[in-house]
Amino acid sequence: MPEALSLLCRVPAHPESRCWALAWSPSGALLASCGGDRTSPRCPQSPQCPQCPHVPVSPCPGVPMSPVSPQVVATLEGHENEVKSVAWAPSGTLLATCSRDKSVWVWEVDEEEEEFECVSVLSAHTQDVKHVVWHPSLQLLASASYDDTVRLYREDDDDWLCCATLEGHTSTVWAVAWDSSGHRLVSCSDDRTLRVWQRPCPLPVTPPGVPCPLPDPVSPCVPSCPRSLPDPCPLTGAVATACGDDAVRVFEEVTPASPTAPVTFGLAAHVARAHAQDVNGVAWHPREPGLLATCGDDGDIAFWRYQRPEGL
Amino acid sequence: MAERFSAVLQLTDLDDFIAPSQECIKPVKVDTKAGKAAAKIRIEADGSYFQVNQDGEKQKLEKAKITLNDCLACSGCITSAESVLVSQQSHGELCKVLALNKAAAAQEQKVVVVSVSPQSRASLAARCKLGLLETAQRLTQFLKSLGVHYVFDTTFSRNFSLLESQREFVRRFHKQAEDKKALPMLASACPGWICYAEKTHGSFIIPHISTTKSPQQVMGSLVKGYFAEQQHLPPDRIYHVTVMPCYDKKLEASRPDFFNQEYQTRDVDCVITTGEVLKLLEQEGVSLSDVDPAPLDTMLGGAAEELSSHRGGGSGGFLEHVFTHAAKEIFGIHVGSIHYKPLKNKDVQEVTLERDGQVLLQFALAYGFRNIQNLVQKLKRGKCPYHYVEVMACPSGCLNGGGQIRLEGESSKEELQQVERLYDSPRAEIPEENRAVRELYQHWLGGWGSQRAQQMLHTQYHALERTNSALSIKW
C-alpha cells in the first residue's frame, strides 16, 4: 500500500515550530500555511516577537507530476500569537487568518506581485479563534472560537465588520463549514454537538444540543485529532485524514456488494510516519487530482502524490 | 475597562485582559534555601501561608508582591497596569484632589491647572449643542467652580510640537545619506502607536519615530516649568490635569520619562477623557448651557478673545505642517493647498510634492491598526516610499478617539462629521507667527535648538523585551 501515497518533497516551512493548517488558493498556484514559532530562529533580529507567527505562502509544486522545490513567496506577519487557521476566499483575492491573539485578519492578495496587504483586523471574539472559512460564493467569512461562538463578517464601506454572532454552543467551537449552496453553516464543538445554522436569519435549525457524537465514524484516526476535519478531495472523492499518531491516511469509497448495501469506506493508503510528530492538516490540490499537501507539529509541509491502488 | 483603550493596545498582548494580581505572569525571584526535603504548606484561616516541616516547625511564607512599576516595566500585560492607572487617573481622583485641596492649609494648597485638548472641546460642543468658543468659556467657568485655578488650551502647546517636528524633519532629511533610519520619520503624538511600536517592533522602528513630545507632554513641560516659575512655585505644588480624547494618554502621562525625580512629580498628574468631563458635569447636576461663560486663561497672562486651531485635520495637522515647512525650507517651494490622495481606504492617504515630474517629497497618513500594520511590514521589507508618515492608532484619527463622547441616536459617521466641523471652525493659526510662542522660545528656552529646548520639547523611547515565561503560555 505505501506506493499509493508517495512523497514528492518536504519543506521545513515553520522550523522549530508547528504548522497548524494548510489552504490551497482556488487556482492552486499558492499554498498558504500557518503556525506559530515559540522560539523562532527565523527572526533572530526581533527578540520583541519571539512568537513570530507567520503564514508563509509557497507556490504550488505545480504541473506536471514532479514538483519544483516549493519556495516561500511571502511571510505574513502581524498576528501576536500562533496562527491557527487560514482560508482563501473563492475569488482568490482575499485571504483570512485567525489566531490565539483573539483576532481574525483579512488580507488582500495580489497574486502577481506576491503582495499581501492587511485590509482588516477584526477583534470580535473574546478568546482564541480556532478556525476561519469563507462562504462558497459570497464575500462572507465565518470564524469559530474558544469563546463558544461563531461569528460572521462582511465588507462594509472600506472595512470589514462582524455582522452576526451565532450563540448556542456551550463549549469551544472547533470548526465551521458551509454547505455547497452557502445557505447553511455547520459548526462542531467541544460540547459534543453539531449545530446547523441557516441563512439569512442566523438561527439554529436543529434543536439546541442534539447529540451528534464526534468524531466522524468514517475515519478511525480522527478521535485522537479533533482539531482537523478529514478532507475529501473535490476531484477524486478520496478522503485524507491528519492524525495525532503522525500518520496520513487516505480512504476510498468501496464499491458496495449490492446496490442496497450501506456505503463503506476502505483504507487506500497509510503512511505511518508521514511527519515526525502529530499531523495537523491535509489539503488536496484544487486542480491537480491526487496532489496532497500535509503539515504537522514538526513544522514541515509535505507534498504527496496519491494513486488509487488497484483492486480496491 | 480594557476595551476603552485603542485597538492597537488591546491587540498588543494576548493573555492579558486580567485584573492586577489575578493572573500576573511576572516571574518572581524566589530565595531558595537548602533544607529538608519534605514540608507541608498550610493555609491559615486568615489566608496566610505556613510551611510546616516534618518535625512540626512552622514558618510563615512570604507573599509575592507585584508593584505598579513591575507592571509597567513588564511586557506581559498592559491591561493589569492600565487598570491600576485608570483608577489613579480618573474624574473621581480629580474630585478627591480638589476636595483635599479645599480642606488643606493655605501653604499646602496646590494650584490646580487643567489643560483642555481641542478635540475634547469639539466633542463636548457637539454634545451640548453649543459653539466652540462658548463651550470653552463655559467649561472654564464650570471647572473653576469646582476649585480649578487655571484652564489652558493644548492648542498652545501644539505650536511647539509642530515647530519642533518641522525642524526635526528637515534635520533628518539632510542626514538621510549617512543615517539609513533618519527617514521615514514617523509621527510621535499618538501614545497608542508609541506603546505598540515599543512593545512589538522595538529597536527596529524606534529610530524612525520623531523625538518631539506630544502636545500633552509639551503642555506638561510648560505648566511644570515655565508656568511654575512665573507663579514662584515648585513644580510639585501644581496639580496638572489634561482633558484628552483618548485613554492611551493616561499611559503616556505615566511614562517615567515624564516624571520629575527631583520634585517627585509628573508633568501631567492626571488625564481625564472627554467622556469623564461629561460624567463630572452629570455628577454635579450641571448642564454646560446653564453655566455662565468665563474669560479664557492664557499662559502668558491676559485673557484670550478667541480660539485658534491648526490646519491639517483633527489629529493635529502634523503632516500638513511638516510638509509645507519642508517644501519651503528644502526646495524653496511655497505650498498653497495640499491635495490628499486616498489609497486603499480613507485612513491611508498620500501627499506628494513634485517638480518637473520628479517626486521631491512623499508623505502619508496612516490611521488605525490595519494601516499601521501595512506600514510596518512595508518598512521591514524596505518598500516604504515615504519621507514622513502621520501615524495614529485610531481609525479616523484623534477626533474619533476612545475617550470621546458618543452622541445618542446618531450614526457614528454623522456624529464624527459634526465634531469635525466644530473642530475646524476657529481661525487656523500659523505656529511661526504666534507671538507668545516666539517669546517663550526666546526668553524661556534660550532660542531655537537650544539644549533647554531639546530637554523640554523632546523625549526618548525604549524597546521592551518580551518576557518569555513559560507561565505566560495559556492554552
Side-chain angles (χ1 to χ4, degrees):
Chain A
M1 247 184 341
E3 68 274 13
L5 199 61
S6 51
L7 182 69
L8 295 173
C9 66
R10 196 178 283 276
V11 186
H14 298 262
E16 305 279 309
S17 174
R18 294 185 169 124
C19 179
W20 284 118
L22 296 170
W24 289 101
S25 67
S27 69
L30 297 171
L31 176 71
S33 68
C34 67
D37 306 15
R38 271 218 182 76
T39 50
S40 172
R42 298 193 61 176
C43 51
Q45 297 309 315
S46 54
Q48 296 78 20
C49 98
Q51 309 284 355
C52 193
H54 46 237
V55 186
V57 179
S58 322
C60 152
V63 197
M65 306 298 270
S66 66
V68 293
S69 124
Q71 280 173 358
V72 173
V73 297
T75 300
L76 280 59
E77 288 178 62
H79 277 296
E80 291 286 323
N81 209 304
E82 285 188 276
V83 183
K84 295 284 182 138
S85 167
V86 55
W88 292 89
S91 64
T93 58
L94 293 169
L95 187 73
T97 57
C98 68
S99 159
R100 246 179 84 199
D101 69 13
K102 305 168 192 163
S103 67
V104 171
W105 293 41
V106 181
W107 308 81
E108 200 169 65
V109 185
D110 186 336
E111 223 172 286
E112 273 175 27
E113 297 280 318
E114 293 169 355
E115 281 282 331
F116 295 78
E117 268 206 18
C118 163
V119 290
S120 192
V121 176
L122 297 153
S123 307
H125 282 296
T126 57
Q127 297 293 340
D128 190 356
V129 191
K130 303 292 187 186
H131 192 211
V132 279
V133 62
W134 289 94
H135 186 277
S137 53
L138 304 172
Q139 290 216 333
L140 185 67
L141 180 69
S143 65
S145 162
Y146 182 67
D147 69 8
D148 306 351
T149 67
V150 172
R151 286 176 199 260
L152 303 180
Y153 311 86
R154 63 175 169 79
E155 198 171 10
D156 175 65
D157 208 355
D158 62 11
D159 203 349
W160 286 70
L161 54 79
C162 173
C163 56
T165 301
L166 311 186
E167 286 171 315
H169 280 298
T170 56
S171 187
T172 305
V173 189
W174 281 109
V176 276
W178 297 93
D179 71 351
S180 56
S181 70
H183 286 301
R184 285 179 177 170
L185 180 76
V186 62
S187 54
C188 72
S189 162
D190 210 35
D191 66 10
R192 294 167 177 269
T193 66
L194 292 181
R195 273 169 193 252
V196 182
W197 314 80
Q198 190 153 315
R199 296 186 68 243
C201 74
L203 287 173
V205 276
T206 53
V210 169
C212 180
L214 282 175
D216 182 352
V218 167
S219 48
C221 77
V222 174
S224 62
C225 185
R227 55 183 171 247
S228 166
L229 297 176
D231 185 28
C233 176
L235 304 174
T236 66
V239 176
T241 61
C243 188
D245 64 2
D246 311 347
V248 170
R249 294 178 180 83
V250 179
F251 298 84
E252 289 267 13
E253 190 173 336
V254 179
T255 321
S258 73
T260 53
V263 174
T264 55
F265 276 74
L267 187 63
H270 176 203
V271 178
R273 295 278 291 168
H275 284 268
Q277 293 170 53
D278 290 10
V279 186
N280 292 324
V282 283
W284 292 104
H285 191 276
R287 297 271 174 87
E288 203 185 321
L291 178 58
L292 180 71
T294 63
C295 67
D297 275 358
D298 56 6
D300 286 357
I301 297 175
F303 295 91
W304 310 83
R305 166 71 47 207
Y306 168 71
Q307 254 173 330
R308 189 186 164 112
E310 299 280 324
L312 188 77
Chain B
M1 185 176 292
E3 66 272 17
R4 292 177 189 160
F5 287 80
S6 65
V8 169
L9 287 191
Q10 288 179 46
L11 202 86
T12 305
D13 288 292
L14 82 147
D15 296 323
D16 302 326
F17 295 111
I18 56 170
S21 83
Q22 223 172 26
E23 293 184 60
C24 183
I25 54 125
K26 173 98 183 159
V28 179
K29 193 183 163 200
V30 181
D31 288 321
T32 45
K33 290 177 198 136
K36 299 168 190 84
K40 279 183 188 166
I41 291 178
R42 204 167 72 207
I43 308 168
E44 299 293 313
D46 63 354
S48 58
Y49 288 74
F50 280 88
Q51 179 178 311
V52 186
N53 292 344
Q54 278 165 323
D55 46 13
E57 184 192 330
K58 285 206 306 186
Q59 186 193 354
K60 190 172 180 181
L61 293 174
E62 259 183 82
K63 274 187 191 165
K65 277 189 191 137
I66 311 292
T67 67
L68 175 59
N69 265 345
D70 285 331
C71 273
L72 288 172
C74 169
S75 64
C77 51
I78 190 155
T79 43
S80 345
E82 86 205 3
S83 40
V84 176
L85 285 170
V86 168
S87 61
Q88 282 187 351
Q89 300 189 41
S90 63
H91 66 288
E93 178 67 17
L94 173 61
C95 292
K96 214 168 76 190
V97 168
L98 289 169
L100 280 174
N101 212 30
K102 276 181 195 160
Q107 69 274 14
E108 278 172 17
Q109 275 185 6
K110 293 192 174 187
V111 170
V112 183
V113 175
V114 177
S115 302
V116 182
S117 69
Q119 291 89 352
S120 298
R121 197 160 41 238
S123 177
L124 271 171
R127 166 63 196 238
C128 301
K129 301 198 165 44
L130 293 168
L132 208 58
L133 180 62
E134 261 186 306
T135 305
Q137 290 168 333
R138 290 169 198 259
L139 182 63
T140 301
Q141 176 61 34
F142 169 69
L143 291 170
K144 289 189 174 177
S145 74
L146 299 178
V148 172
H149 300 95
Y150 295 91
V151 181
F152 294 137
D153 178 356
T154 61
T155 310
F156 180 67
S157 59
R158 193 164 68 195
N159 282 307
F160 293 87
S161 296
L162 291 168
L163 288 169
E164 289 299 315
S165 296
Q166 291 174 188
R167 295 161 54 82
E168 183 183 350
F169 179 79
V170 173
R171 207 164 51 235
R172 282 169 174 261
F173 189 90
H174 286 312
K175 66 170 194 183
Q176 59 178 315
E178 64 258 39
D179 181 358
K180 289 280 166 271
K181 294 217 164 183
L183 295 180
M185 173 167 134
L186 307 175
S188 60
C190 171
W193 148 241
I194 297 297
C195 198
Y196 172 75
E198 286 183 329
K199 287 200 164 191
T200 315
H201 303 289
S203 50
F204 168 74
I205 214 106
I206 284 172
H208 290 287
I209 301 175
S210 161
T211 59
T212 303
K213 282 186 191 174
S214 70
Q216 166 173 288
Q217 292 312 136
V218 171
M219 202 58 174
S221 298
L222 292 175
V223 166
K224 296 270 173 131
Y226 175 78
F227 185 70
E229 284 167 29
Q230 295 301 302
Q231 301 286 314
H232 307 290
L233 288 171
D236 56 342
R237 283 285 303 282
I238 295 179
Y239 189 76
H240 184 204
V241 184
T242 58
V243 177
M244 288 287 147
C246 161
Y247 279 86
D248 301 353
K249 285 280 174 193
K250 296 179 193 245
L251 293 170
E252 182 182 45
S254 317
R255 290 173 71 89
D257 309 85
F258 305 132
F259 185 75
N260 182 330
Q261 282 295 344
E262 188 186 346
Y263 288 97
Q264 293 291 302
T265 182
R266 288 199 191 106
D267 291 348
V268 176
D269 295 283
C270 180
V271 178
I272 61 174
T273 62
T274 319
E276 284 173 293
V277 171
L278 190 66
K279 272 193 211 156
L280 211 55
L281 281 159
E282 282 165 1
Q283 192 181 304
E284 300 290 317
V286 173
S287 162
L288 210 52
S289 45
D290 298 335
V291 179
D292 289 328
L296 304 178
D297 297 325
T298 61
M299 194 163 289
L300 269 65
E305 297 298 322
E306 57 163 8
L307 293 168
S308 63
S309 179
H310 291 114
R311 283 183 301 129
S315 302
F318 286 89
L319 179 147
E320 196 149 330
H321 284 80
V322 173
F323 188 82
T324 314
H325 178 80
K328 189 151 171 271
E329 197 71 18
I330 305 171
F331 301 103
I333 297 174
H334 172 78
V335 177
S337 69
I338 289 187
H339 173 67
Y340 289 87
K341 180 180 146 207
L343 301 178
K344 283 257 155 79
N345 54 65
K346 66 181 182 331
D347 281 334
V348 45
Q349 304 196 18
E350 241 176 46
V351 175
T352 313
L353 182 74
E354 289 184 28
R355 186 162 54 197
D356 309 326
Q358 191 199 347
V359 174
L360 302 176
L361 288 175
Q362 199 164 18
F363 283 26
L365 49 85
Y367 294 171
F369 185 61
R370 57 180 171 157
N371 295 318
I372 289 182
Q373 198 55 43
N374 289 328
L375 170 72
V376 171
Q377 294 311 323
K378 274 201 186 117
L379 263 174
K380 283 198 168 169
R381 279 182 266 137
K383 285 186 172 177
C384 178
Y386 304 118
H387 296 104
Y388 178 87
V389 187
E390 183 179 294
V391 188
M392 300 286 160
C394 290
S396 304
C398 298
L399 285 174
N400 187 38
Q404 296 284 69
I405 301 163
R406 306 288 163 217
L407 301 185
E408 284 152 26
E410 253 171 277
S411 90
S412 58
K413 220 179 263 178
E414 285 162 25
E415 182 183 319
L416 189 61
Q417 281 170 353
Q418 196 186 342
V419 175
E420 276 168 4
R421 268 196 304 277
L422 281 160
Y423 177 90
D424 283 332
S425 61
R427 174 186 62 88
E429 70 167 306
I430 296 164
E432 286 89 339
E433 294 172 5
N434 186 309
R435 237 184 263 163
V437 171
R438 256 194 279 179
E439 184 165 326
L440 280 180
Y441 262 109
Q442 222 163 38
H443 295 115
W444 183 59
L445 292 168
W448 296 98
S450 70
Q451 206 183 338
R452 179 136 203 220
Q454 184 66 26
Q455 182 196 340
M456 289 292 173
L457 306 175
H458 290 262
T459 183
Q460 53 189 331
Y461 310 103
H462 320 276
L464 266 181
E465 298 290 322
R466 272 207 194 194
T467 324
N468 249 334
S469 162
L471 291 169
S472 68
I473 294 164
K474 272 170 74 180
W475 291 98

